Amino acid sequence: NISKAKALAAKATKGRPDQRVATKGGSEPPAAGKAKLRYVGYVELGEQVELFEGRARVRDKVQLTFELVNRKKHPPIELEDGTKVPRRLKIELTNSLSERATLFQLRRQMDPDDTKSHIAQMVEDGFLGKVYHHTFTAQGREVTVARLKAKGGNYTIEPPFEEDEEGEVTEVSIPEAMSETLLFFWDSPTLEMWDSLYIEGEYEKGRSRNVI
C-alpha cells in the first residue's frame, strides 16, 4: 500500500537531516597568517616511495607534527560526539643531514643557538610560524590545504621571540598543547614509543583510527 508506505516514511524521517541541504565536505583549513605552535610529534617513518620529477624513488622519511595552539584563531574541531580535536599540521621530510636537506636547515632554524643536537630534543617546545593556504585541483574539484610555508618558500617555524620597531626582543607566550606527544625512532623503538602512536577508536564506517 503506497499511502501506508508514505506514512511510514514520513514518520521515520521526522527529525532526520534534510536531504535537500548538502553537508559541507570535510573541515575548513585553519586560518592563514601568524600562528603559535607547539611541536608535538617526531616520528621516523622508515623508507618510503615518493615521486620525484615523475619517477619513483625510495627515501628515508620523518614526520614532524605541530599543533596550532592559539585557541581563538585556530579553535579545535568539535566532532559529533563532542570530542575536541586540536588543529595540527604535519610536515614529512627526507631524513637527511645533507647541508641542503630541508630537515637539516629546519633544525638550525628552530634552534639558531645550536643548543640541541637533534630536532627530536625540541618536542613540546613552543614556536612561532605562519600558515599559508595552498589551493589545487584534485579529482575535478578545488581543494585548499594549510601549510607552514609559502609555495616554493621555506618553512616559517622559529623560536617564539618578536622584535619591535625599536629593536627590543621579547619572548612570546605559547599556550600548552592539547595533543599527546608522538615520538618514534625507527632503529630503537620502545613499547612507550609504540604506545605514543596508538589512536583509539574507529571512524563511522568501521575503519580504525590507528593509522600511524
Side-chain angles (χ1 to χ4, degrees):
N1 187 308
I2 294 178
S3 61
K4 185 177 180 180
K6 284 184 178 293
L8 181 62
K11 184 178 179 180
T13 57
K14 188 176 181 179
R16 290 177 181 267
D18 189 336
Q19 291 187 342
R20 297 168 295 183
V21 181
T23 56
K24 208 165 191 178
S27 59
E28 292 292 320
K34 291 183 178 180
K36 294 182 177 182
L37 309 169
R38 280 279 173 188
Y39 176 27
V40 296
Y42 174 87
V43 177
E44 294 179 353
L45 303 174
E47 291 186 342
Q48 303 288 323
V49 178
E50 67 176 12
L51 284 177
F52 179 73
E53 297 181 348
R55 301 180 67 179
R57 66 181 186 181
V58 176
R59 290 291 184 272
D60 194 27
K61 293 290 182 176
V62 60
Q63 186 181 83
L64 313 181
T65 304
F66 294 85
E67 182 180 321
L68 302 168
V69 291
N70 184 333
R71 306 299 173 212
K72 290 184 178 179
K73 186 172 184 178
H74 300 119
I77 301 168
E78 187 165 346
L79 305 181
E80 290 182 1
D81 62 2
T83 303
K84 291 186 177 180
V85 180
R87 295 281 195 163
R88 290 181 289 252
L89 294 178
K90 296 179 180 179
I91 301 172
E92 187 174 305
L93 302 172
T94 298
N95 196 0
S96 170
L97 294 181
S98 163
E99 286 188 357
R100 296 178 60 186
T102 302
L103 180 66
F104 180 82
Q105 295 172 1
L106 181 58
R107 190 221 60 83
R108 187 159 50 186
Q109 185 174 308
M110 290 167 63
D111 178 34
D113 295 331
D114 278 339
T115 61
K116 304 290 195 305
S117 63
H118 196 287
I119 198 169
Q121 294 172 355
M122 290 180 257
V123 290
E124 300 185 349
D125 288 352
F127 295 90
L128 293 176
K130 191 171 182 180
V131 176
Y132 293 87
H133 284 176
H134 296 248
T135 301
F136 56 94
T137 301
Q139 296 181 344
R141 66 187 184 93
E142 198 173 77
V143 178
T144 299
V145 298
R147 291 177 181 155
L148 289 168
K149 68 172 184 175
K151 188 175 182 180
N154 298 320
Y155 285 102
T156 59
I157 305 156
E158 297 178 339
F161 297 95
E162 288 185 333
E163 184 176 347
D164 62 22
E165 294 179 355
E166 298 178 355
E168 192 75 24
V169 177
T170 56
E171 185 172 0
V172 178
S173 176
I174 306 295
E176 293 299 318
M178 293 173 60
S179 308
E180 295 292 332
T181 304
L182 304 172
L183 193 62
F184 191 84
F185 291 89
W186 187 261
D187 60 355
S188 56
T190 66
L191 183 58
E192 188 177 12
M193 289 182 191
W194 280 113
D195 288 343
S196 80
L197 305 185
Y198 179 70
I199 303 173
E200 190 175 357
E202 296 181 342
Y203 292 103
E204 290 180 1
K205 295 184 179 180
R207 289 186 300 111
S208 172
R209 290 181 181 271
N210 188 31
V211 294
I212 302 175

